[in-house]
Structures are given as C-alpha cells and as structure tokens.
Amino acid sequence: MSVTAIYPGTFDPITNGHSDLIQRACRLFDRVIVAVAANPKKTPLFTLEERVALAQGVLGGMEKVEVCGFDSLLAEFARQRGAAVILRGLRAVSDFEFEFQLAGMNRHLAPDVETLFLTPAEKYTFISSSLVKEVASLGGDIEDFVDPAVKAALNNRMR
Ligand code: COA
C-alpha cells in the first residue's frame, strides 16, 4: 500500500527546519505533498506563488516530494489528494497546544486522515520563518537557517 503524507504550512519562507522534516518524512512515506497555505491572516511577506516557487527550488532534488499551493480547507485538500496522513512538526512544548487543537479539528473534519508529528534536528528547534525574517531585516546572518536561494530572495525583499 502506498502512503501519501501532506505537510501543510505557510512556508513564508521555507527554512532548513522545514527541509529537515521533509527529508525525515521521505524515509517514512511513499509520497510527501508540501502544501503551501495561502493563509492571508498571516499577511505573508512572499506571495503564494513566490512561496511555492521557493519551496520547489529548495526541494527540487527530492523525487518523492511535490509542492503545491492551496487556499481551501486542509482536511478537504488532504482528502482530494488521497493523503492518509497530515504531517506537522513539533519543535518545542510551546507548539503542542496549537497543534493539538489543529489535529482535533482536522480529525473532526476528516476522520480518516491521521495527524502525525515529527521533530526536526535539535539545531533547528529554535527557528521559525518569522525569526529568520526578523534577523534578515536587521542585517543578521541567516545562512545556517535557509537555502542560499531563500537567503537571496529575503535579502532582495528586505532591500
Ligand atoms: N522548522 C522551522 N520552523 C518551523 C518548523 C520546522 N520544522 N515547523 C514549523 N515551523 C515554524 C514556521 O516557520 C512558522 O513560523 P512563523 O509563525 O514564524 O511563520 C511556525 O512554525 C508555524 O507555522 P506553520 O507550520 O507554517 O503553520 P502555520 O501556523 O503557519 O500554518 C496551517 C497552519 C497552514 C497548517 C493551517 O493554518 C491550515 O491548515 N490552514 C488551511 C485552512 C484550514 O484548513 N484551516 C482550519 C485548520 S483546522
């Protein structure tokens, strides 16, 4: 049986923490769909198309991975794409409360789809897209946290 996992997020922009999680997922699942949410309530720095393109550039070498954008209900999108698993990352205990709510609601909306959690490598447990953007905007070095293409895009946007 082939198992597809869907990894949703805003990815504004994709970081090495996300990529680390996706690499781990590729060892467990036959197909990993990286689902970039439009998520207008977060007023992203990059447009949906830009976030998808950045993620595609970073993950292009991973043959099990597909990147796509969506602006609908995640549970519905997961069903449409035949995903048995919604994958989320847990970096710290502070992530847990929100993730628990999200998993509960998604289970209510799509009882046949299971939410599974993975933890990224320890060196990525303290980063987030917002923190990376803030450091970049103040001229700090973000090289350890994002792909060179993402760093270039961020520096360009911050200019
Ligand atoms: N490494 C580094 N950072 C990570 C990470 C990892 N492995 N995993 C998460 N993060 C960071 C992200 O960069 C993000 O940082 P930010 O808040 O500074 O931008 C933060 O953790 C959490 O973001 P993310 O994982 O992208 O989740 P989100 O809260 O932005 O997105 C959705 C939540 C998109 C999954 C949710 O809103 C959704 O499903 N939307 C679709 C509509 C829907 O179905 N809504 C009902 C949901 S029940």
Side-chain angles (χ1 to χ4, degrees):
M1 191 181 76
S2 147
V3 181
T4 296
I6 196 159
Y7 179 39
T10 312
F11 300 102
D12 184 43
I14 185 165
T15 67
N16 291 346
H18 294 125
S19 304
D20 177 87
L21 212 80
I22 293 160
Q23 269 166 20
R24 291 170 197 281
C26 284
R27 289 190 224 126
L28 299 171
F29 303 106
D30 302 288
R31 184 150 197 78
V32 178
I33 299 174
V34 176
V36 183
N39 219 352
K41 70 170 192 260
K42 259 193 161 176
T43 52
L45 177 67
F46 294 103
T47 66
L48 179 59
E49 292 70 27
E50 288 170 334
R51 284 178 278 140
V52 168
L54 283 171
Q56 273 167 343
V58 171
L59 305 169
M62 298 187 193
E63 62 174 42
K64 286 184 178 178
V65 176
E66 178 193 343
V67 181
C68 53
F70 76 106
D71 60 3
S72 54
L73 211 50
L74 172 64
E76 198 46 50
F77 189 62
R79 255 212 205 110
Q80 271 169 20
R81 299 303 312 265
V85 169
I86 292 173
L87 184 68
R88 292 287 289 168
L90 276 182
R91 291 161 300 166
V93 178
S94 52
D95 282 341
F96 182 77
E97 210 164 325
F98 175 61
E99 293 302 332
F100 194 72
Q101 267 190 318
L102 209 66
M105 182 57 83
N106 282 325
R107 174 174 282 168
H108 175 81
L109 296 168
D112 46 338
V113 179
E114 291 297 337
T115 298
L116 295 182
F117 299 98
L118 290 177
T119 55
E122 290 80 66
K123 62 183 174 181
Y124 299 129
T125 48
F126 61 91
I127 67 169
S128 70
S129 299
S130 301
L131 213 50
V132 166
K133 283 182 282 192
E134 185 174 332
V135 171
S137 73
L138 297 170
D141 188 6
I142 52 165
E143 200 159 289
D144 289 343
F145 307 125
V146 292
D147 182 270
V150 174
K151 181 181 170 183
L154 267 172
N155 289 339
N156 236 332
R157 190 52 54 92
M158 297 297 176
R159 222 177 270 146

